Amino acid sequence: MMYGALVLVMAAVGLAWLAYRRPRPRRWLLPRRVVPRPLVAAVDRQHRHLLAGGMLGETACERTKSHFRELLTAGRDDLVSREFRPGLDFAVRVRALAELGTPEGARILERLLRTSLTGDRGEQSWYWVDVASALRRLGRTEALPAVLRCAAAAAGSAQGDLLAIEAVTFANFAAALRHPTTAVGDRARAALVTAARAARRGGTEIAALVRAGLGDRLAEVTDRTSARSADPWATAAVIEAERLARRLGHWARVLPPDARARAGAQATRLVAANERRRVWLGGASGRLLDRFPHASADEQGAALRCLNDLRADVAPLFPHPPNRRAAWWGDAIRALRWSRSAVVGPALAGQAVQLARAARHRGRAAIALTALKGHPCYEAEQALLQSATAAHPALRAAAVGSLGWWAPFAPGRVVCALRTARTDPDAPTRGAAVYALARLGVRSALAEVAAGLVSEEGTIRQETAARIATEELTWLWPDLETAAESSDAETAFAAAEALEQLRECRFGLAG
């Protein structure tokens, strides 16, 4: 009897230990609903097609609209609600109900923002985008808190960017920003920052954001921010206000005349506060570092992202390696790229090698390898060379992409590894090798990258400009200046944005 009880206790302890070491749902303990991947992929393709200017079937929309009109006239709102199921028809049903424009239809759509239709986060987020866009067009301002909540839930994804943009273009968004101490106010500031970043990437219709007063909203947040504030969300808004002040002039080339005039007025307001904003940003890092030990986990994560943008040295926060169980571990490692401590590079290199040994830690290993690009030390170079031949492509791409950021300790080995990676079967690894060689001044690699700026395909020109900025490839600064004068407005926009990013890398945000 005692022996059986002891076995049960040991089994319970073992299961608890496994749950502690690997806190993830196990299929044999907690069966999860399996989402059909073909449906998820089809929904994703459908919405990307719509974003690119594609159309929904007009016949299907009219037929669905007629069906919904009959049900609503009969007072059968419940039957209309049941029609909204996951799938390719969801977007058609949302459009049909929105075009009817009835209060009952708007209430049904608003309820969908509080309904989970699928267990796949990406698919669910696309459905939220459909509904949020319809409610914004209907002028359903009372739905803004729900849209902000969905944008927060989808943060970090393309759908999260689109939801943030929808929120910013709601008529009552400015009112939500005036309550910074509430959950709605915090989410509104986060959405504002997300929308500004999405606009800079050129992945959205910036005219709508300019018409919605993006520059004015950022200026208002800046004006209300205390000189001694250590609020990371306010800091992120001030950072984006500074960036937008430098870019609104470039944006004029892709804006229609009415939005161009608004952009000019917003630029004037932002430029007028240049000196105050830069002085404020000059002290922001110190305030965030002082506040960090006393902040909540969410606030700490937001602070680390701001410190990364400001390229601040966060090593004083971590006398020991950041806790891998912390939700902000990845943000901390990324921010440690900018540390000037001589001990951080070798420590990160050792951690990257250790993480790369376990399959379940590959994602974390890739983050650590990427952070090594800021640490010119022998240990970092050895760790990168070792991972450049790893079996997993994500590790190879991360390691190869972190080479070439400083003069190599073993030039022959580094160049040989990069030339080998240039023929890697994995496309991201091949691309990372080309840019790494270009950073080292290899002419053939520089010529290959520069050729992308004059490609016949506009998409390739824009992607090349963005990648040059990300890789900080200052050798091609003159080529970017030429591309910024292109007759193609979108190419000129991408090149101008890349130039601003390179200037920020060289001189800093407050410079």
Side-chain angles (χ1 to χ4, degrees):
M1 187 70 178
M2 289 293 294
Y3 179 76
L6 181 61
V7 169
L8 288 174
V9 169
M10 291 178 65
V13 170
L15 288 173
W17 182 84
L18 282 173
Y20 174 75
R21 293 291 296 169
R22 301 182 65 184
R24 62 178 67 179
R26 286 172 166 70
R27 293 186 185 279
W28 50 275
L29 284 178
L30 299 173
R32 291 179 292 178
R33 177 188 173 192
V34 178
V35 180
R37 300 309 302 174
L39 174 60
V40 175
V43 170
D44 187 73
R45 285 195 302 271
Q46 178 198 42
H47 285 83
R48 294 187 185 278
H49 165 73
L50 294 174
L51 285 175
M55 304 291 291
L56 286 172
E58 294 297 327
T59 303
C61 282
E62 288 301 320
R63 185 168 58 250
T64 305
K65 191 193 306 183
S66 176
H67 174 55
F68 283 168
R69 184 184 292 110
E70 292 175 3
L71 291 176
L72 291 174
T73 302
R76 299 309 307 269
D77 300 10
D78 56 328
L79 294 181
V80 174
S81 297
R82 292 176 194 171
E83 295 273 349
F84 287 90
R85 296 179 295 273
L88 298 176
D89 291 336
F90 186 89
V92 173
R93 293 187 177 102
V94 169
R95 175 177 163 183
L97 191 57
E99 288 184 357
L100 288 177
T102 64
E104 296 81 10
R107 283 193 291 271
I108 291 170
L109 290 172
E110 192 173 349
R111 283 197 297 272
L112 287 171
L113 292 176
R114 300 189 293 271
T115 304
S116 179
L117 298 171
T118 174
D120 185 88
R121 181 180 177 230
E123 183 189 3
Q124 177 64 63
S125 298
W126 280 126
Y127 300 146
W128 284 336
V129 170
D130 292 334
V131 176
S133 178
L135 289 167
R136 191 256 308 161
R137 292 195 303 272
L138 286 171
R140 187 81 174 179
T141 55
E142 53 266 52
L144 177 59
V147 174
L148 289 170
R149 188 169 57 252
C150 293
S157 65
Q159 300 94 309
D161 291 352
L162 293 169
L163 284 164
I165 291 163
E166 291 294 345
V168 171
T169 51
F170 265 68
N172 60 332
F173 181 77
L177 279 176
R178 298 190 189 108
H179 304 283
T181 58
T182 65
V184 170
D186 285 343
R187 288 172 182 152
R189 286 186 297 177
L192 181 65
V193 170
T194 299
R197 290 172 177 165
R200 285 194 290 105
R201 289 193 294 270
T204 183
E205 178 54 57
I206 62 174
L209 286 169
V210 170
R211 292 190 185 101
L214 177 66
D216 290 330
R217 302 293 84 80
L218 287 168
E220 289 165 9
V221 173
T222 302
D223 292 343
R224 286 195 296 268
T225 301
S226 164
R228 295 186 296 275
S229 174
D231 183 339
W233 293 284
T235 304
V238 177
I239 289 172
E240 290 307 317
E242 177 63 24
R243 286 169 168 161
L244 186 59
R246 303 179 186 192
R247 289 162 169 79
L248 275 172
H250 303 312
W251 288 14
R253 296 192 61 176
V254 297
L255 292 173
D258 66 314
R260 199 174 304 157
R262 295 192 183 190
Q266 292 171 33
T268 300
R269 181 175 180 181
L270 287 169
V271 169
N274 271 353
E275 187 59 30
R276 175 182 179 274
R277 193 168 52 245
R278 291 178 187 177
V279 170
W280 193 94
L281 286 172
S285 297
R287 294 191 296 271
L288 291 171
L289 290 169
D290 290 342
R291 168 68 182 161
F292 187 87
H294 315 290
S296 65
D298 286 346
E299 188 178 346
Q300 287 177 330
L304 286 167
R305 291 188 287 275
C306 288
L307 290 165
N308 187 27
D309 277 348
L310 295 167
R311 301 195 171 195
D313 187 349
V314 301
L317 297 176
F318 305 108
H320 305 288
N323 183 0
R324 282 190 295 180
R325 296 190 178 281
W328 41 258
W329 181 88
D331 295 315
I333 297 299
R334 293 183 190 96
L336 280 169
R337 173 188 174 183
W338 311 112
S339 172
R340 293 177 288 277
S341 170
V343 303
V344 171
L348 276 178
Q351 189 171 42
V353 171
Q354 180 184 8
L355 289 169
R357 292 183 185 134
R360 69 179 184 274
H361 292 319
R362 283 174 186 153
R364 291 177 181 268
I367 293 173
L369 289 168
T370 302
L372 287 177
K373 64 180 64 170
H375 297 279
C377 63
Y378 178 78
E379 293 85 354
E381 187 171 288
Q382 292 304 302
L384 293 172
L385 288 171
Q386 179 179 332
S387 293
T389 57
H392 198 274
L395 294 180
R396 295 201 303 274
V400 169
S402 293
L403 289 168
W405 292 86
W406 65 81
F409 291 88
R413 285 191 64 197
V414 169
V415 172
C416 180
L418 291 175
R419 291 190 187 281
T420 300
R422 205 170 177 179
T423 61
D424 195 278
D426 178 58
T429 302
R430 293 197 303 272
V434 171
Y435 279 91
L437 287 167
R439 276 194 300 275
L440 292 173
V442 176
R443 291 187 178 181
S444 60
L446 283 167
E448 184 176 339
V449 176
L453 288 175
V454 294
S455 169
E456 294 182 359
E457 293 291 332
T459 302
I460 294 177
R461 295 195 299 268
Q462 295 154 34
E463 289 176 352
T464 301
R467 186 74 183 270
I468 289 172
T470 302
E471 301 288 343
E472 299 184 22
L473 199 53
T474 53
W475 293 92
L476 296 178
W477 194 305
D479 300 80
L480 281 176
E481 289 182 328
T482 301
E485 299 300 323
S486 169
S487 57
D488 177 59
E490 292 185 354
T491 298
F493 177 92
E497 171 60 26
L499 285 169
E500 288 298 338
Q501 289 184 36
L502 288 179
R503 288 191 186 98
E504 186 178 311
C505 293
R506 182 61 62 91
F507 305 112
L509 271 167

